[in-house]
Amino acid sequence: MNKFGDLIRAKREEQEMLLRHLSAELDIDTAQMSKIERGERTAKREHVHQLIKIFKLNEAETIALWLADQVYAVVANEDEALKALIVAKKEVKYQKKVTE
């Protein structure tokens, strides 16, 4: 799964921006940015926020894609992945109610 990287690559290509120019904006090397786009490396949260500003993306949706990729990487090969995600979903809902 590489929803976040696919989004960033699509937006970069849509704006006809070279990978090296985007890398320079984020102050990371081109190889690292390429790996982020291919899903071989996870972007840091600070880079996610920079990318949201650069491409004028919806913050909530973009962060959700970034988080989804990270969650998937952790549970992808687990037999009980779906059960774990259901438990986590319930806990997130509970914690959200407690803090409101």
Side-chain angles (χ1 to χ4, degrees):
M1 187 166 133
N2 183 31
K3 302 292 186 184
F4 178 77
D6 289 343
L7 171 67
I8 299 308
R9 175 177 284 155
K11 292 298 182 181
R12 179 179 60 76
E13 290 175 349
E14 196 176 281
Q15 293 187 15
E16 299 179 356
M17 180 184 280
L18 296 175
L19 190 60
R20 68 175 185 243
H21 293 148
L22 180 57
S23 300
E25 291 261 351
L26 301 176
D27 196 27
I28 61 175
D29 82 18
T30 304
Q32 185 176 348
M33 188 64 233
S34 179
K35 288 177 182 179
I36 290 169
E37 284 188 352
R38 291 192 315 264
E40 296 171 7
R41 186 169 178 128
T42 302
K44 293 180 180 178
R45 184 177 285 273
E46 66 190 63
H47 295 142
V48 174
H49 289 287
Q50 288 175 293
L51 290 162
I52 288 168
K53 289 178 185 172
I54 291 167
F55 295 120
K56 297 175 178 63
L57 301 170
N58 178 289
E59 185 174 10
E61 290 176 13
T62 304
I63 291 173
L65 289 179
W66 176 70
L67 287 170
D69 283 350
Q70 290 184 64
V71 170
Y72 180 79
V74 171
V75 302
N77 297 317
E78 298 292 337
D79 292 336
E80 301 303 326
L82 289 176
K83 288 181 183 177
L85 290 172
I86 291 167
V87 171
K89 179 181 175 182
K90 288 177 184 175
E91 184 62 21
V92 169
K93 282 184 176 181
Y94 173 77
Q95 290 299 327
K96 189 165 179 102
K97 286 181 183 177
V98 169
T99 60
E100 289 178 344

